[in-house]
Amino acid sequence: MGINTGFRIGELLELKVTDVMDEEGTFRLFLEYENKQQPIYLNEQVRRALKLHFQQKTPISTDYLFQSSRGHAPITRQQAYRIINEAAKHVGVTEKVGTHTLRKTFGYHAYVKGIAISLIQKRFNQATPSDTLKYIGIDKTEQQKIDVNL
């Protein structure tokens, strides 16, 4: 979910089942920003992952999406880091992958696909476009190839 939404790990760990699935079993996500409900697009990969997750574990609406097996709290940031690193190793990534790696990767690929830096900046809640470019590893003096697939 991190690589497909660009959320901070803290935001992801606070999600509850009711935040991502309604009573009819439809996957959707609304986050509260500045006292407004903001709809967040969940792509097909996220919806498939949620469906698989809920097939393996019957969801209880009050549970955290990433519930700890040791109680009613979400997993810790450290546990999330371990899970992400193990998954990365499993697919052949040898470098350390942190929880922010997913967020930065989302921003980088959104930018390269043609999403306006102002929209990425807004999602990341950063002060300036140059902060966002720096955060996602884009050198603004470098010529970037932008893929726009309409």
Side-chain angles (χ1 to χ4, degrees), residues 10-76:
E11 293 168 326
L12 291 172
L13 295 180
E14 288 299 315
L15 291 175
K16 293 198 172 192
V17 170
T18 55
D19 293 326
V20 297
M21 187 171 70
D22 63 19
E23 298 82 27
E24 289 83 39
T26 303
F27 298 117
R28 84 291 178 267
L29 179 58
F30 287 93
L31 288 185
E32 184 130 344
Y33 283 113
E34 300 172 355
N35 296 325
K36 290 187 222 168
Q37 287 284 327
Q38 179 98 8
I40 304 298
Y41 174 72
L42 297 177
N43 66 20
E44 186 58 35
Q45 292 90 335
V46 172
R47 289 193 304 261
R48 272 198 315 257
L50 287 169
K51 185 177 179 181
L52 179 63
H53 177 67
F54 292 138
Q55 284 173 348
Q56 295 171 352
K57 178 186 183 260
T58 305
I60 299 171
S61 63
T62 57
D63 280 354
Y64 285 98
L65 185 58
F66 302 103
Q67 181 105 8
S68 171
S69 59
R70 299 180 187 177
H72 296 289
I75 63 172
T76 64

Side-chain angles (χ1 to χ4, degrees), residues 108-131:
Y108 174 83
H109 285 286
Y111 180 75
V112 169
K113 287 280 189 188
I115 302 299
I117 195 64
S118 61
L119 296 175
I120 301 166
Q121 172 193 346
K122 184 176 179 181
R123 170 66 61 93
F124 286 177
N125 196 25
Q126 292 180 323
T128 65
S130 61
D131 287 346

